[in-house]
Amino acid sequence: MSNILDVELLNVEFNINGNYYHAVNDVSFHIKPGETLGLVGESGCGKSVTSLALVRLLSKSARVTGNVLFEGQNLLDLADNEMRKIRGNGIGMIFQEPMTSLNPVYKIGAQISETLLLHRDISAREAFVQSVDMLKKVGIPRPDEIMDEHPHQLSGGMRQRVMIAIAMACNPHLLIADEPTTALDVTIQAQILELMRDISNDFGTSILLITHDLGVVAEMCDRVVVMYAGQIVEQGTVDDIFFNPQHPYTRGLLNAIPKIDARSKQRLQPIEGNVPSLTRMPRGCRFSPRCPHVTDPCKMQSPELFAVDDTHFSRCWMNEKREI
Amino acid sequence: MLKYMVRRVLEAIPTLLGVTVISFIMIHIVPGSPVRILLGNHYTLERAAVLSKELGLNKPLWIQYFIWLGNILHGNFGFSYVYDKPVAHLILQALPHTLIIVVVSILAAHLFAVFLGSVQAYYQDSIFDQIATVINYLFYSMPSFWLGVLLIIVFSINLHWLPSGGIVSSQVSNPGFGDWVRHLILPVGSLFLISVAGWARYMRSSMRESLLQDYVRTARMKGANEFRVVFVHALRNSILPLITMFGLSLPTLLGGALFIEEIFNYPGMGLLYWDAVNSRDYPIIMAITVFLGIVTVLGNLIADILYGIVDPRIQYR
C-alpha cells in the first residue's frame, strides 16, 4: 500500500532582517496508512515548523521548498482554495494549547459543525447531529449539553477532546498532533493519548505526533524521527530508537529521562548546551558543539544520514563505517 | 440580567445628583447674569430686582437648587428665560434633529471603521495600510469645527453642491425629503469622518492582536477561507474595545455635536445648548446637563450589555 504522506527534501527558510535562514533542512520522511510516526526533538529544533509547513500554515515570511505528497498530491503545488479542501478534511490538526485554540466567543457545537459544514454538503441540522456523535466518540460526557456551552466552561483536557473532535469531524486520513498533551497534567495526558490511539485504531487514521516527550513516543509510535537543529539526526522504529540508539543526541535524550529503577541511583544526565540559533549554525555536524564523542572531522563536514539497517538511519560519522 | 440592570440604574442615581450639584454651582459661578442679558439696553437696577425675583434668582443658591431639584422630580423642567417656552418642549423639538444625525453617523462610522480597521490589520504595513493610517491621523487630529468649515467652503461655497446649514432651504417653496437629506449630508459627514478616524485605529490594533491568536490558526486548519477567518472568527473577538468607545461616544455625540450644529446652524441639542450657555438660560443648561448625564449612564449600560452579548465569558452579577 502506498504511503499517506511522503515528505521529500522539505526546506523551510525564514526571512530575518533580509537574510534567509534555514529552520528546516532537507527533511524527508513518510507515513504509512494507519501508522503513528513520532517527530521528536528539543524546543526550537524545527518540529512545529515542519508540521505547519506541511499544511502551509506558516506566515508569508517563510519560504518552503521540497515536496509534500499527501495521497500522491503535492500540497506545496496546490492553489489556496484546493489547499483549504485538504485542511480539516484530508488532514486534521490539533495543537499544544487547548486553552487558547478554541474560539472563546462561539459555542462548542458551532465550532465542531463548522468543519463539517465547510467540507460536507449537509444541512446545519445534520452537522449538529454528527457533531454530537463526534463528541461522544472523543469521550465527552453529556455531549448534548456541551454542544451548547462555550470553551471557557470546559477544562483543558475537555477542550483538547473538543479539538480532537473538530480535527476528526470529517474523518481525515492524517492527524497531525503538535505537542497535544504538553499543556495538560499527567493523568489527563494519559487519557488523551489513549483517545488518540483508539481513534487511530477505529478510523485507521495515520498520526504524525510531534513531541519532546520520549515517554509519549514509546507509548504511541510505530516509528520515530529525531530532529536536531532543523535536520533529521536519527530515524527508525521505536525499538531501534529505544534499544539501539545510534546518534549521540538520541542517546543524550534517552539518558535525560528519569528511570524508576532501584539500581540507577545516578543523577539524570542532561545534554550540555543549547540548540544553536538559526542565525548561528555551527559548521560541520550541528550537534558537534554539544557532542561528547566529537572528533575533528565532525567540526569540518556535516555527516549524511547513514543507513544502520533497512529501517534505521543516523546522521553521525560513527555510523559511516557500517555502510556497505 | 434584569436585576443587574436595575442595580446599575440605582447606582447611577448618586452620580447623577452629584452631576447636577456641580453643574448648578458652576453655571452660577460663570460671570454674566441672565437678568442682564434679558434686559439688555433696558437694564435698570429696579427692573433687574423685579426680574430676579420673578425668576427666583434672588434666593440663596442652595434653596434655588432644591427648588429646581423638586421641580425636576415632578417632571417640571421649568421655563426657558429666553424663549419663554417649557424647556421640555424645546428639548423635544431639538432632540429628533440631533438623533437623526447622531444615529446615522454613529452607525455608519462604526460599520465603516470596523471594516476599514479589519482590512488594515489584515494587510498590515502594506501601502494600503500606510495610506489609510495617514488619512486616519489627518482626520483624527482635525478639530470638528475646522473640518465643518472646510466642508462648507468646498461643497457649499466653491462647488455649490450642498447647502451650508439649516434643515430646509428657505428659497424653495415646497422643500421635500430630498432637500432635507441634502441638508443632513455635511453635518453627518463631518461627524462620520471624525468618528471613523478614531475608531478605525482602535479596530486595527484590536484586530491585529486577534489575528495572532491560536483560534485563528484553528479556523485556518479547519479549511475556513481568509474572509471567514477575519470576519467571523477574529472580528467578534476584536470589537470589544469598540463597544466601550460606542458607550463613551453616545453622550459626547449627543451633546458634542455642539460645534458641528453651531457651524451648520443645525437646530439640534447642540445648538440649543450653545445658545443657552451664551444667554445664561439656566433652566435649559441644567435640563440638557441632566439629559447628558442620563445618556452617559445609559451609554455605559448599553455597552456593558453588548459586552455580554458579544463575549459569553462576561457574566452579570
Side-chain angles (χ1 to χ4, degrees):
Chain A
M1 220 159 123
S2 62
N3 294 332
I4 283 285
L5 186 75
D6 270 301
V7 178
E8 294 165 354
L9 296 176
L10 183 74
N11 280 276
V12 181
E13 292 155 281
F14 284 106
N15 187 341
I16 303 170
N17 299 328
N19 291 319
Y20 278 97
Y21 294 97
H22 265 90
V24 174
N25 221 354
D26 285 347
V27 163
S28 302
F29 60 85
H30 64 274
I31 303 178
K32 294 181 212 138
E35 186 180 46
T36 298
L37 179 73
L39 192 56
V40 191
E42 280 168 283
S43 308
C45 71
K47 297 168 296 185
S48 291
V49 172
T50 302
S51 70
L52 289 172
L54 300 183
V55 287
R56 289 174 40 188
L57 281 181
L58 288 172
S59 71
K60 291 187 189 92
S61 71
R63 191 161 66 187
V64 182
T65 52
N67 292 318
V68 177
L69 299 167
F70 174 68
E71 298 183 325
Q73 223 175 357
N74 190 351
L75 299 184
L76 299 185
D77 288 343
L78 291 181
D80 285 346
N81 62 331
E82 288 171 311
M83 189 62 219
R84 282 197 291 270
K85 285 179 198 155
I86 303 275
R87 290 192 203 119
N89 192 19
I91 303 178
M93 188 161 177
I94 56 176
F95 304 100
Q96 180 172 351
E97 282 299 334
M99 301 311 276
T100 52
S101 290
L102 292 166
N103 195 328
V105 300
Y106 291 108
K107 288 178 180 170
I108 300 297
Q111 301 198 44
I112 303 175
S113 305
E114 185 183 13
T115 317
L116 288 160
L117 291 169
L118 282 169
H119 297 291
R120 300 268 187 273
D121 192 17
I122 55 174
S123 67
R125 180 73 224 148
E126 280 171 85
F128 188 89
V129 173
Q130 289 186 25
S131 301
V132 175
D133 223 42
M134 207 58 227
L135 279 180
K136 267 183 220 153
K137 281 183 187 145
V138 297
I140 295 249
R142 321 175 277 119
D144 294 288
E145 289 165 50
I146 298 290
M147 287 290 281
D148 215 30
E149 287 184 5
H150 287 95
H152 71 275
Q153 290 164 286
L154 306 182
S155 65
M158 293 278 269
R159 286 191 217 186
Q160 196 60 297
R161 283 177 195 269
V162 171
M163 280 301 292
I164 294 174
I166 290 172
M168 295 303 298
C170 290
N171 196 5
H173 293 164
L174 175 64
L175 176 68
I176 301 176
D178 187 355
E179 303 264 7
T181 57
T182 307
L184 305 172
D185 56 50
V186 183
T187 48
I188 308 295
Q189 277 188 18
Q191 291 175 13
I192 295 291
L193 291 176
E194 196 186 317
L195 171 64
M196 285 175 55
R197 207 166 31 219
D198 290 348
I199 278 175
S200 173
N201 291 338
D202 297 352
F203 293 77
T205 314
S206 305
I207 298 179
L208 174 60
L209 179 64
I210 293 150
T211 180
H212 65 271
D213 186 339
L214 286 170
V216 171
V217 172
E219 207 168 324
M220 295 287 293
C221 300
D222 302 309
R223 284 189 307 117
V224 186
V225 167
V226 183
M227 276 184 84
Y228 181 79
Q231 291 178 318
I232 294 181
V233 292
E234 187 159 3
Q235 182 173 352
T237 63
V238 170
D239 288 351
D240 291 338
I241 298 296
F242 280 86
F243 299 116
N244 186 22
Q246 292 298 314
H247 198 280
Y249 177 63
T250 313
R251 289 190 210 151
L253 285 181
L254 289 165
N255 285 337
I257 309 176
K259 295 180 191 70
I260 303 176
D261 188 337
R263 285 175 300 160
S264 65
K265 283 203 177 109
Q266 78 255 43
R267 299 170 140 257
L268 286 181
Q269 294 170 15
I271 306 174
E272 299 295 335
N274 288 306
V275 179
S277 81
L278 284 190
T279 51
R280 256 179 278 158
M281 275 302 166
R283 219 151 61 95
C285 173
R286 292 181 177 185
F287 189 59
S288 59
R290 302 172 73 185
C291 183
H293 310 292
V294 63
T295 55
D296 282 341
C298 301
K299 294 175 186 167
M300 304 303 294
Q301 205 187 348
S302 179
E304 305 159 38
L305 206 52
F306 299 111
V308 179
D309 59 44
D310 289 353
T311 57
H312 194 176
F313 303 86
S314 166
R315 190 184 295 277
C316 180
W317 286 117
M318 292 193 295
N319 296 106
E320 191 194 19
K321 304 174 195 93
R322 306 188 188 184
E323 221 179 11
I324 304 154
Chain B
M1 180 77 168
L2 190 71
K3 215 171 114 189
Y4 170 80
M5 285 168 70
V6 170
R7 209 194 69 215
R8 283 290 302 267
V9 170
L10 290 178
E11 277 173 2
I13 289 173
T15 317
L16 283 175
L17 279 177
V19 167
T20 61
V21 171
I22 292 171
S23 29
F24 204 85
I25 294 171
M26 293 224 338
I27 55 172
H28 283 88
I29 290 175
V30 175
S33 90
V35 174
R36 187 173 280 274
I37 290 163
L38 282 171
L39 289 173
N41 290 335
H42 308 288
Y43 185 87
T44 61
L45 281 177
E46 292 78 36
R47 283 178 181 166
V50 172
L51 190 57
S52 266
K53 200 175 176 194
E54 207 176 295
L55 297 177
L57 293 173
N58 55 344
K59 298 192 178 82
L61 199 56
W62 64 275
I63 291 187
Q64 285 185 45
Y65 174 76
F66 280 109
I67 290 172
W68 174 82
L69 190 64
N71 286 338
I72 289 280
L73 293 179
H74 288 92
N76 176 7
F77 287 84
F79 270 75
S80 157
Y81 302 158
V82 177
Y83 302 99
D84 200 25
K85 282 182 186 166
V87 170
H89 178 76
L90 290 167
I91 287 182
L92 285 180
Q93 222 169 26
L95 188 59
H97 291 308
T98 294
L99 275 182
I100 184 84
I101 59 170
V102 166
V103 168
V104 170
S105 60
I106 279 192
L107 283 183
H110 262 100
L111 285 178
F112 188 69
V114 164
F115 179 75
L116 179 66
S118 302
V119 174
Q120 273 187 268
Y122 188 79
Y123 294 107
Q124 197 191 135
D125 300 332
S126 65
I127 297 289
F128 166 77
D129 179 32
Q130 289 174 11
I131 292 173
T133 302
V134 170
I135 295 175
N136 276 345
Y137 264 113
L138 204 67
F139 282 112
Y140 189 65
S141 48
M142 221 179 253
S144 57
F145 55 87
W146 195 76
L147 177 65
V149 171
L150 196 72
L151 291 180
I152 290 176
I153 292 173
V154 173
F155 291 101
S156 303
I157 298 175
N158 288 341
L159 294 171
H160 297 289
W161 285 355
L162 295 164
S164 65
I167 45 167
V168 283
S169 308
S170 49
Q171 50 296 46
V172 183
S173 55
N174 188 18
F177 181 73
D179 182 63
W180 177 63
V181 170
R182 275 161 48 82
H183 281 85
L184 290 179
I185 293 175
L186 286 186
V188 167
S190 319
L191 286 175
F192 171 81
L193 286 174
I194 283 166
S195 310
V196 161
W199 294 339
R201 275 158 33 90
Y202 277 94
M203 189 62 202
R204 178 177 177 272
S205 67
S206 179
M207 177 58 89
R208 260 176 73 161
E209 207 172 294
S210 294
L211 285 174
L212 296 175
Q213 300 301 311
D214 287 346
Y215 57 78
V216 167
R217 185 180 56 188
T218 306
R220 291 204 170 106
M221 194 54 229
K222 286 178 183 176
N225 62 30
E226 292 300 284
F227 182 86
R228 212 181 144 75
V229 166
V230 175
F231 289 105
V232 176
H233 285 274
L235 183 79
R236 197 162 154 188
N237 285 282
S238 310
I239 54 176
L240 285 177
L242 242 68
I243 291 175
T244 318
M245 296 294 291
F246 170 78
L248 291 175
S249 66
L250 205 58
T252 322
L253 280 176
L254 278 176
L258 203 114
F259 290 119
I260 294 295
E261 291 189 1
E262 160 67 11
I263 296 278
F264 291 100
N265 196 29
Y266 185 86
M269 298 284 282
L271 196 58
L272 186 65
Y273 204 26
W274 176 275
D275 288 343
V277 169
N278 281 334
S279 58
R280 305 290 184 275
D281 201 339
Y282 294 157
I284 294 186
I285 299 175
M286 284 309 295
I288 294 183
T289 306
V290 171
F291 171 76
L292 290 181
I294 292 172
V295 172
T296 307
V297 171
L298 276 183
N300 283 330
L301 189 63
I302 291 173
D304 283 351
I305 291 167
L306 284 177
Y307 274 146
I309 293 172
V310 172
D311 190 340
R313 284 168 296 186
I314 292 165
Q315 284 183 348
Y316 301 105
R317 248 180 258 124

